[in-house]
Amino acid sequence: MTQASFTGTEQYLASPELTAAVDVAVALQKPLLIKGEPGTGKTVLAEAVAEALGQELLTWHVKSTTKAQDGLYHYDTIQRLNDARFGEGDVKDIAHYIKLGALGRAFSADKRVVLLIDEIDKADMEFPNDLLHELDRMSFHIPETGETVTAKERPVVIITSNNEKELPDAFLRRCVFHYIAFPDEELMGRIVKVHQPDVEDRLLQQAMLRFYKLREIPEIRKRPSTSELIDWIAALRLGGLSAKDIEEAIPFLGLLLKRENDIEALTQPRRRLGRY
Amino acid sequence: MFLGFLYALRERGLNVGVNEWLTLVEALAKGHARSQLGAFYALSRAVIVHREGDFDRFDAAFASYFKGVEGFFALDDELMQWLQNPVLPPLLSDEDRAALEALDLDELKRMFEERLDEQNERHDGGNRWIGTGGTSPFGHGGTHPTGVRVGGGGGGRSAIQVAEDRRFKNLRTDRILDTRQISVALRRLRKLTKRGVASELDIDETVDESARQGGEIELVFNPPRKNRIKLMLLVDVGGSMDPHADLSERLFSAAHRASHFQAFEAFTFHNCPYETLYTDISRGVGEATEDVLKRLDEKWNLVFVGDAWMSPYELTHVGGAIYYGQQNRTTGLQWLQKLKRKCPKSVWLNPEPERIWAAESVTMVRRVFDMFPLTVDGLTEAVDTLRGARAHD
């Protein structure tokens, strides 16, 4: 078996762990589950993999109302009824009214494609379980037409999750897993500079120092992420504050911590009630 | 060394099943990362670990197990031995057995032998990733978004060093009961009835009705099925419940997000509910228990969460409340009984282990409510009890 190994693209830099995860997922034809805090480049990875493998990318954006069925196919009954009423279209052929979803299109594609199932944790709890069978077998049945859609070329499936919900164990066991870690200070500096090219170095250093310290406080439940840091630095600059002003205090704390409990955790130690 | 690693992982509390194991074997036999420890680290982590909270355990096991093995290492002989005589850990689950059956070991062995031949012919010393070497259009290199050096061509840090860094320590969570498990348990609490605005198209009825109208389309809509369950969560906070605050909060957020309840309310109390049920106990904001009782009926499910751990007089005495400001005229026990009478469907979840439920106050509370441990099984049992408890209707 000779296949191209994924080592990232010019735009996307992959770690050896990520490279191995992509390679093994492709070779063993298992879905690749990518987790990580928002803004760590999960979705972009799918684009990079598609580019590196020279395959088309199909994306299925999952929403809270998405059902597993939506990814397979949709039977447009109303259209068919309407056509029957007004004598339009080929009503006898039910296949005209079967519209394939992203998964269905990935299966029926002539060439192997990359299928991105984006933000799977947004959907209902049972959603990943409902897809188990289809992802295992890479086929599904359409009772309306009696047709079975089977993948001609098993697609490379990449699934992202923001950790909004825990995913079921049975689902996790079938996936190759990779977690994209939070950027370190060096990379974070580069990211901030993309958004704030002329930020003063001392302010940036000091702001990042406070930022990473804040992320280390265990009582803080919703840790500030990249976008919060960028907003905060923007606010500091608009307010005309310098590196010295944030040595002791954290002005505009609300931009970094969004939860009341987190702000409390920072400003006052936990009170104890009673002896029981 | 090979199978021993599996046991080392298990010893660290990683739930490695046969499924993960076979995936790893399959990947190795197909020529992935067989001879380099760095590549083996990346490969085994990707197929064995399923959540970032377990990365640290994996790193710890890896670092201690492979200590002393640097760079190049040979799994070939061991892998071949294993393929010839696959020894598996005992206690196979049905799922494990299915995974084993699905895997064609002979085919795997054949592929592996091919790889070995290929490797010998090339005389490349076996330090290439077979089947992947040199074929990539993009070449090696680049840096990790986290700044970790890239292995692959050497020059990076050794896998042991990487593992010893324990980079994922702060992601570790020793979970007792996660929100998903809570949600799954709560989900069993439902009673579906068709209610509300007719918004779902009933295709069968539409076709029948259209036929009856002689082909004139007549769309028939039905109201969607809705859950009629009402849930009230009453949570003991502060004092001896402090260590369980996190767990209570998870239960709360799972119940709160479970959008399938017709109504959901939550209150807090300290040790025992008295005249007031709190929405913000630290500021003393709440609602008179009498008023809450008026709103309740037997359709409500009450779920208490608390350790029921207090002085018995807090339950039995007028004025026994732990706060001096809260001079209760009705005893705690009477309040509990009132709530139970109004809502027969009620249970008490206790985060403390069952072995310390013998305390006097716990025993007294258990005379009023069925008590269950706040664990996955306990919660499921509690939900089943709620479902089974017949309201007076």
Side-chain angles (χ1 to χ4, degrees), chain B residues 5-16 54 56-65 166 172 174:
Chain B
F5 183 43
L6 170 74
Y7 289 109
L9 290 168
R10 285 195 171 183
E11 250 165 52
R12 296 274 174 173
L14 269 173
N15 187 15
V16 190
D54 286 340
D56 186 53
R57 277 183 240 265
F58 180 86
D59 278 359
F62 192 93
S64 71
Y65 192 78
R166 309 278 297 268
R172 193 168 168 151
D174 292 302

Side-chain angles (χ1 to χ4, degrees), chain A:
Chain A
M1 184 197 314
T2 43
Q3 96 250 335
S5 166
F6 175 75
T7 54
T9 66
E10 270 151 50
Q11 286 78 40
Y12 195 91
L13 304 171
S15 71
E17 285 96 348
L18 178 55
T19 306
V22 173
D23 280 346
V24 77
V26 172
L28 301 187
Q29 305 183 325
K30 283 176 182 288
L32 173 64
L33 173 65
I34 300 286
K35 284 210 289 193
E37 289 186 42
T40 43
K42 296 184 292 294
T43 308
V44 191
L45 171 72
E47 290 165 15
V49 170
E51 193 195 323
L53 298 176
Q55 294 168 2
E56 193 197 341
L57 175 70
L58 292 174
T59 306
W60 182 11
H61 290 290
V62 176
K63 301 192 185 80
S64 62
T65 51
T66 305
K67 299 264 178 299
Q69 178 72 31
D70 302 345
L72 308 179
Y73 72 96
H74 169 69
Y75 171 31
D76 197 345
T77 347
I78 306 264
Q79 183 66 50
R80 187 160 178 242
L81 271 173
N82 196 59
D83 287 356
R85 168 71 183 81
F86 296 106
E88 287 164 15
D90 189 359
V91 184
K92 282 206 190 81
D93 188 1
I94 205 165
H96 281 295
Y97 303 94
I98 301 286
K99 307 241 167 16
L100 290 178
L103 205 59
R105 274 181 288 134
F107 287 178
S108 54
D110 289 323
K111 280 202 223 145
R112 190 164 69 158
V113 298
V114 176
L115 172 66
L116 169 65
I117 304 179
D118 207 12
E119 306 195 329
I120 194 166
D121 53 329
K122 286 261 188 309
D124 187 81
M125 290 194 305
E126 297 303 330
F127 178 82
N129 279 339
D130 292 346
L131 281 177
L132 282 184
H133 185 81
E134 282 75 16
L135 288 177
D136 267 357
R137 304 277 167 86
M138 289 281 174
S139 77
F140 62 90
H141 185 67
I142 304 178
E144 282 86 351
T145 56
E147 186 194 350
T148 300
V149 179
T150 307
K152 291 178 191 153
E153 293 282 343
R154 288 174 75 100
V156 175
V157 181
I158 297 179
I159 300 166
T160 72
S161 166
N162 278 327
N163 249 349
E164 272 189 23
K165 290 191 185 83
E166 292 274 342
L167 299 170
D169 280 338
F171 178 79
L172 289 173
R173 272 199 295 277
R174 282 168 170 82
C175 295
V176 173
F177 173 66
H178 184 76
Y179 176 80
I180 301 185
F182 195 76
D184 67 351
E185 295 195 30
E186 192 260 322
L187 179 68
M188 186 57 94
R190 273 157 53 197
I191 295 173
V192 173
K193 285 240 164 112
V194 171
H195 297 267
Q196 301 271 334
D198 47 350
V199 63
E200 191 204 340
D201 272 341
R202 277 196 48 225
L203 178 67
L204 176 62
Q205 291 309 326
Q206 188 62 35
M208 288 207 306
L209 193 73
R210 298 306 305 239
F211 174 76
Y212 279 100
K213 276 261 150 57
L214 210 56
R215 281 179 55 87
E216 277 167 18
I217 299 174
E219 284 81 22
I220 289 178
R221 308 292 291 278
K222 169 83 184 72
R223 292 188 295 170
S225 74
T226 316
S227 65
E228 271 100 29
L229 174 67
I230 292 169
D231 289 349
W232 186 51
I233 291 180
L236 291 175
R237 297 184 69 206
L238 280 173
L241 298 174
S242 70
K244 224 169 158 318
D245 296 315
I246 54 171
E247 269 170 23
E248 298 297 322
I250 305 184
F252 312 117
L253 184 60
L255 284 172
L256 290 171
L257 301 179
K258 305 287 168 73
R259 286 177 41 152
E260 206 180 325
N261 293 352
D262 289 346
I263 294 177
E264 263 173 37
L266 190 71
T267 48
Q268 49 189 276
R270 193 175 233 170
R271 278 167 302 169
R272 299 226 147 230
L273 297 169
R275 70 194 167 95
Y276 282 105

Side-chain angles (χ1 to χ4, degrees), chain B residues 231-237 252 264-270 273 276-281 285-289 291-293 295-296 300 302-305 339:
Chain B
L231 177 71
M232 184 176 286
L233 207 55
L234 295 138
V235 185
D236 182 1
V237 291
F252 172 80
F264 171 70
E265 287 194 57
F267 290 102
T268 55
F269 59 90
H270 187 200
T276 314
L277 290 169
Y278 296 94
T279 45
D280 184 347
I281 200 162
V285 181
E287 198 177 339
T289 310
D291 291 342
V292 176
L293 272 168
R295 272 191 281 136
L296 292 175
W300 280 84
L302 298 194
V303 176
F304 291 84
V305 183
L339 285 158

Side-chain angles (χ1 to χ4, degrees), chain B residues 176-192:
Chain B
I176 312 157
L177 190 60
D178 64 39
T179 26
R180 179 181 167 84
Q181 291 168 318
I182 297 172
S183 313
V184 169
L186 287 178
R187 189 148 262 242
R188 296 165 63 92
L189 258 190
R190 59 178 159 191
K191 190 186 243 168
L192 295 172

